[in-house]
Amino acid sequence: MDPFFAFALALHVAAGLAGCGGAYAAWFALSGSTPAWRTLWWGTAFALVGFFMSYASGAVYYLSYYGKAVKPVILQGRFPWAHAFAMEAKEHLFLFLPFVTLLLAVAIWRYNKLLWDSRNIALREALAALAGVVAAIAFIVVLLGVLVSGAVR
Amino acid sequence: MDWHTFFVVIHVVGTVLGTGGATFAEVFLLKALRDGIIEPFEAEDLKVIYRVLRIGFVLVVISGFGLLVLARLEDHAQYLYSPRLWAKLMIVAILAVGIIVWRARWLPQRVSVVLGSALSFSAWYAALVLGLWRSLDLSFPLILGAYVVWFFVVLLVQHFVRRALGIAV
């Protein structure tokens, strides 16, 4: 593989993983009854930057390399469903993930001072659920990515 | 040092921190709960141990995915369909859920402590065994089934140990 595309793929995985970890950290921070500002702030920032970076590097890899060099290998190999199902599901799930994360980040940064106020438990729980859903979807996307990568042989 | 060795070293360090941390978390938690009250210095010790556990978790995840990317880039994609690898990925998800269960304020404290502790202890040891047992030749559902059995064994043993020590969680 061309070093540029190898770098794009590695960046796609690393940034996506950072995003998944960040969303998970935000979920962790919002699940407790004691404030965890630093974890929440850094987690949300990692999630947002990570998903957008993964989005961009994944797009470069997908549009310039995957379609020509990887997809035909998968479709002619033992696991054609890895493209037909896993890649299709992965890219559609991933399309909206950065934007849901943007929503989460805006809500957290907008309401940061109010989140651990006892009158706003419902708000914190709703944001915790959203962060949990983002982390879970990101983890599913990661697993689908492993399935796609494993089919290239 | 090549990338593979680097990631393997980090992976082993993360597993050691996680498994050791889970063991000490269990011991210190039992010690702290014996008199029914977690004193501030005991809470401080537990906080440090949980931090070590989380560091171990982060190291295991980062190095694990580093190894996966290397497998893809070095044309060893067949490893990515190994049942042992998929079982380890599921264990990572269980560990992540276990950490949330520990912290979750929406769960009753008793459930949070009992479940969080059993999930963390059983999953870290399962990860250790899966990592070391390279010749393990079982299907993915069988490995997961074995983990579920192991989880209930841990839950039961922890229950009896607490009862023997007179700890009411």
Side-chain angles (χ1 to χ4, degrees):
Chain A
M1 190 188 297
D2 185 288
F4 174 75
F5 293 120
F7 176 73
L9 179 63
L11 183 63
H12 173 64
V13 175
L17 202 59
C20 183
Y24 174 75
W27 183 26
F28 169 81
L30 289 164
S31 297
S33 50
T34 49
W37 289 116
R38 258 186 0 173
T39 310
L40 183 60
W41 201 94
W42 281 107
T44 315
F46 258 73
L48 193 60
V49 175
F51 286 142
F52 273 103
M53 272 177 72
S54 188
Y55 205 82
S57 51
V60 169
Y61 175 79
Y62 189 88
L63 294 174
S64 312
Y65 184 79
Y66 178 88
K68 290 178 214 155
V70 182
K71 185 176 151 186
V73 176
I74 296 177
L75 291 177
Q76 286 160 22
R78 283 172 57 202
F79 312 101
W81 52 265
H83 174 81
F85 170 72
M87 180 52 102
E88 291 294 334
K90 179 179 183 290
E91 66 186 54
H92 285 89
L93 280 172
F94 195 59
L95 275 178
F96 67 86
L97 205 52
F99 302 101
V100 179
T101 310
L102 182 63
L103 172 76
L104 179 72
V106 169
I108 284 170
W109 292 331
R110 167 73 180 78
Y111 297 111
N112 62 356
K113 298 284 178 212
L114 304 168
L115 284 177
W116 271 275
D117 188 318
S118 57
R119 289 167 297 180
N120 295 323
I121 288 176
L123 173 65
R124 195 169 76 236
E125 284 180 348
L127 290 178
L130 185 62
V133 167
V134 169
I137 291 176
F139 187 68
I140 291 169
V141 170
V142 167
L143 296 183
L144 292 170
V146 176
L147 279 178
V148 173
S149 286
V152 191
R153 35 180 141 152
Chain B
M1 189 189 290
D2 60 16
W3 279 105
H4 185 266
T5 312
F6 173 74
F7 283 133
V8 169
V9 169
I10 300 291
H11 208 60
V12 172
V13 170
T15 311
V16 168
L17 290 180
T19 316
T23 311
F24 277 98
E26 203 51 46
V27 172
F28 275 67
L29 185 68
L30 287 174
K31 194 167 162 277
L33 288 173
R34 271 190 100 161
D35 57 1
I37 310 156
I38 298 182
E39 305 288 348
F41 70 93
E42 290 171 328
E44 205 51 46
D45 285 348
L46 283 169
K47 227 168 121 179
V48 172
I49 294 172
Y50 292 137
R51 187 159 295 166
V52 170
L53 264 174
R54 281 179 220 139
I55 291 170
F57 179 68
V58 170
L59 290 180
V60 162
V61 171
I62 292 175
S63 56
F65 278 94
L67 288 167
L68 291 187
V69 172
L70 273 188
R72 166 71 181 91
L73 294 179
E74 292 174 351
D75 289 328
H76 299 304
Q78 71 274 13
Y79 295 133
L80 303 184
Y81 275 24
S82 141
R84 210 164 58 93
L85 170 80
W86 277 83
K88 284 202 264 183
L89 288 170
M90 289 302 118
I91 296 290
V92 164
I94 292 166
L95 279 170
V97 170
I99 293 172
I100 295 288
V101 167
W102 261 118
R103 187 170 160 80
R105 43 149 249 104
W106 35 267
L107 277 173
Q109 200 192 7
R110 185 179 184 280
V111 177
S112 174
V113 170
V114 170
L115 207 60
S117 163
L119 279 174
S120 170
F121 191 86
S122 62
W124 272 114
Y125 274 89
L128 177 77
V129 170
L130 283 172
L132 289 175
W133 196 349
R134 290 175 171 271
S135 60
L136 179 69
D137 190 22
L138 290 177
S139 66
F140 175 66
L142 264 178
I143 299 176
L144 272 196
Y147 171 74
V148 172
V149 172
W150 164 236
F151 168 73
F152 281 108
V153 169
V154 169
L155 205 61
L156 213 63
V157 170
Q158 284 179 335
H159 171 74
F160 284 122
V161 169
R162 283 187 195 120
R163 216 166 67 169
L165 294 173
I167 296 168
V169 179

